[in-house]
Amino acid sequence: FPRDMTKTRMSRWKAAGLHLGISSLLGTAVLALMLTTWYPSPFFSAMGGNDLVLTLLGVDLVLGPLITLVVFGPAKPLRLIRLDLAIIGVLQASAFAYGMSVIAAVRPVYMVFTVDRFDLVAANDIKAEELAKATDARFASMPWGRPSTIAVATPKDSKEQMRIIMSAVGGGGDLQTFPQYYVPYEQLAGEALRKSLPIATLRKRHPDERAAIDAALARLGRRDEDLRFLPLKARKTDYCVLLDAKSGAVAGFLEIYPW
């Protein structure tokens, strides 16, 4: 808060409004970071970004200004007002830092082609001990930018295959969370194309989504025969990944349940 805020003896409503304005700017900056970098569409909804934002902004936009409204009193001694505001600032900053740490931990870092689908992998899905085993420098550290599309190759060693299976059965990481087996998507794009399904299958599964499918294809300037699809498995909502029917390259997304 500005130094002269207590000197002017502003009302508690004005103080809370000022606090709300500052918090709103901070919340807007966080939302912009999420939408443009960590959680670009459609990953924001696929990973439950709405829930994360509501939790964070609930603290940032509601709790902080509300406490200011309650404790701020123009009749209070200046020393107590400054102390109250300092405590509120520390509490709100701590809550905000915790919220940001959660958002960063569950941010999607890779969209991984895994056997016959895509998996949206979050930062905290990848264990440090598995990350340390990566031999390809491109996958040896956790990325902080936009999620990239990659693929994962099934290990040939039977013991390693069993280790991964047991990890998945026991509630741990599955194949898509083992970066030592990551490869560029282009290396397995042909396999992805072979496992993909025609748009006609999606239309048959969801006849009520015909308009949405037509609109998505129109935005891409494609016809049914130009594209195929694979499911995208995510934490909150599953979508369809659209693939070019000739190259297997990712052409776009369709926010329709793929199964």
Side-chain angles (χ1 to χ4, degrees):
F1 285 89
R3 181 185 295 270
D4 64 348
M5 187 183 75
T6 55
K7 291 182 180 179
T8 60
R9 295 296 195 174
M10 66 172 64
S11 71
R12 67 177 64 229
W13 290 103
K14 188 174 181 180
L18 179 60
H19 194 160
L20 179 62
I22 296 173
S23 297
S24 297
L25 290 175
L26 189 59
T28 300
V30 172
L31 184 59
L33 171 65
M34 292 180 67
L35 292 176
T36 60
T37 305
W38 288 352
Y39 295 80
S41 179
F43 301 153
F44 184 81
S45 54
M47 296 297 284
N50 289 329
D51 298 334
L52 294 171
V53 168
L54 287 176
T55 300
L56 180 65
L57 297 189
V59 173
D60 187 46
L61 296 182
V62 178
L63 186 59
L66 184 61
I67 295 176
T68 296
L69 179 64
V70 171
V71 306
F72 190 88
K76 277 187 178 182
L78 296 181
R79 178 179 59 82
L80 292 181
I81 292 178
R82 292 192 180 102
L83 178 61
D84 287 344
L85 295 179
I87 293 173
I88 293 171
V90 170
L91 291 175
Q92 187 175 3
S94 299
F96 183 78
Y98 172 76
M100 283 300 298
S101 69
V102 172
I103 288 175
V106 300
R107 74 188 189 280
V109 289
Y110 294 115
M111 186 176 77
V112 186
F113 169 64
T114 314
V115 183
D116 60 357
R117 72 183 189 193
F118 285 90
D119 289 282
L120 203 52
V121 176
N124 63 352
D125 288 334
I126 301 175
K127 305 306 179 185
E129 57 269 26
E130 301 300 335
L131 187 64
K133 297 176 183 178
T135 56
D136 190 325
R138 291 171 293 185
F139 311 119
S141 60
M142 201 69 71
W144 283 94
R146 293 170 65 89
S148 55
T149 300
I150 61 172
V152 62
T154 302
K156 297 180 180 180
D157 183 78
S158 58
K159 291 183 178 179
E160 187 66 1
Q161 291 177 5
M162 183 56 64
R163 183 176 79 90
I164 295 174
I165 291 173
M166 294 306 295
S167 172
V169 170
D174 206 342
L175 178 60
Q176 67 271 14
T177 66
F178 288 76
Q180 59 268 46
Y181 302 114
Y182 286 170
V183 296
Y185 173 69
E186 293 73 18
Q187 189 170 321
L188 292 179
E191 180 66 15
L193 189 58
R194 283 189 290 274
K195 296 294 180 64
S196 65
L197 298 172
I199 301 299
T201 299
L202 196 61
R203 291 186 183 277
K204 185 176 180 180
R205 288 178 181 175
H206 303 287
D208 54 329
E209 297 286 1
R210 179 185 179 91
I213 296 173
D214 289 343
L217 268 60
R219 286 195 299 270
L220 295 172
R222 303 290 190 100
R223 298 171 298 176
D224 282 26
E225 56 268 31
D226 298 328
L227 297 170
R228 296 176 69 85
F229 81 95
L230 280 176
L232 169 63
K233 184 69 177 175
R235 288 193 176 186
K236 181 73 173 182
T237 306
D238 297 344
Y239 290 137
C240 297
V241 179
L242 299 176
L243 304 180
D244 183 275
K246 293 182 178 180
S247 67
V250 174
F253 299 92
L254 188 56
E255 297 185 29
I256 294 177
Y257 189 68
W259 313 102

